[in-house]
Amino acid sequence: MNLLHWFPFCGYFLIALVLTINAFSRYQQFSKRLTIFAFLCYFVIILRLCLTPVTFSFITANRNLRYFHGVPYNLLPFQQLDLEWFLNVIMTIPLGVLLYLVGRKSSFITVLALSFLFTFFIEGNQFVCDFLFHIGRVADIDDIITNTIGGVIGFYGIKLVDRGFIDKIIHPFFLS
């Protein structure tokens, strides 16, 4: 396997590590540092799932893919509703929970925009990194839709249970 394929993952990992260390300097409480560490872990997991080389693809032959200089992408939403669709929603529910810990009073538009931007970052990087480093990924409009939905579900799911004793448990982990 070509080590150049791992360049995007390693580069973003180093950036995330530096940002985490910087964020640690702003918060002295263990619980808040644990929230920041959870962000780092989640981001690294997402990087591993989305920006590392693969030799297989979950996308079946039923999708109508387009190609840009050999890089596959899909701009036609909802060609098929399969397990991958639901797994993409589940994958970003933790993002919504973490967004809630950062700003539990955020508006719906803010949560939607942040979930969308995070997802667009992932899919955009999959496209660019596959073009530059041949990591074998497909940028897919369905992923943008499902990941955004997952982030919103995570935010409002934790907001829904943030009442009574749950508030006392998660309150120390809020960064705001």
Side-chain angles (χ1 to χ4, degrees):
M1 181 175 286
N2 188 345
L3 290 179
L4 189 60
H5 296 165
W6 287 84
F7 183 75
F9 173 82
C10 294
Y12 281 122
F13 176 76
L14 289 175
I15 291 168
L17 199 56
V18 168
L19 291 173
T20 300
I21 292 167
N22 183 40
F24 266 35
S25 68
R26 282 188 249 144
Y27 297 99
Q28 300 307 314
Q29 294 173 306
F30 175 76
S31 57
K32 294 187 184 323
R33 285 185 171 185
L34 193 57
T35 300
I36 294 165
F37 184 69
F39 260 107
L40 174 66
C41 291
Y42 178 71
F43 189 67
V44 169
I45 289 168
I46 293 298
L47 288 175
R48 175 62 180 98
L49 287 173
C50 301
L51 290 181
T52 55
V54 292
T55 55
F56 65 94
S57 176
F58 290 113
I59 294 188
T60 63
N62 296 343
R63 296 230 177 134
N64 185 15
L65 296 178
R66 305 260 188 242
Y67 292 86
F68 176 80
H69 295 283
V71 178
Y73 66 93
N74 173 36
L75 294 179
L76 298 173
F78 311 116
Q79 290 183 44
Q80 62 189 39
L81 191 62
D82 57 6
L83 180 62
E84 180 188 358
W85 208 87
F86 294 103
L87 290 175
N88 275 311
V89 172
I90 292 168
M91 181 177 79
T92 50
I93 288 175
L95 171 67
V97 172
L98 291 167
L99 289 175
Y100 187 74
L101 294 176
V102 171
R104 66 178 168 170
K105 295 182 182 176
S106 297
S107 70
F108 175 78
I109 297 298
T110 301
V111 174
L112 185 69
L114 290 173
S115 296
F116 172 79
L117 288 172
F118 181 78
T119 300
F120 190 77
F121 168 80
I122 292 168
E123 294 302 311
N125 270 283
Q126 283 183 336
F127 183 81
V128 170
C129 291
D130 195 44
F131 180 73
L132 296 174
F133 304 105
H134 310 291
I135 62 173
R137 298 297 180 152
V138 176
D140 192 342
I141 190 70
D142 284 345
D143 292 353
I144 291 175
I145 295 166
T146 54
N147 291 348
T148 301
I149 290 169
V152 172
I153 288 172
F155 184 91
Y156 285 100
I158 194 72
K159 185 173 188 160
L160 187 65
V161 298
D162 183 14
R163 305 282 186 258
F165 78 95
I166 297 290
D167 181 52
K168 290 176 183 27
I169 294 170
I170 64 175
H171 181 73
F173 298 96
F174 288 122
L175 297 183
S176 57

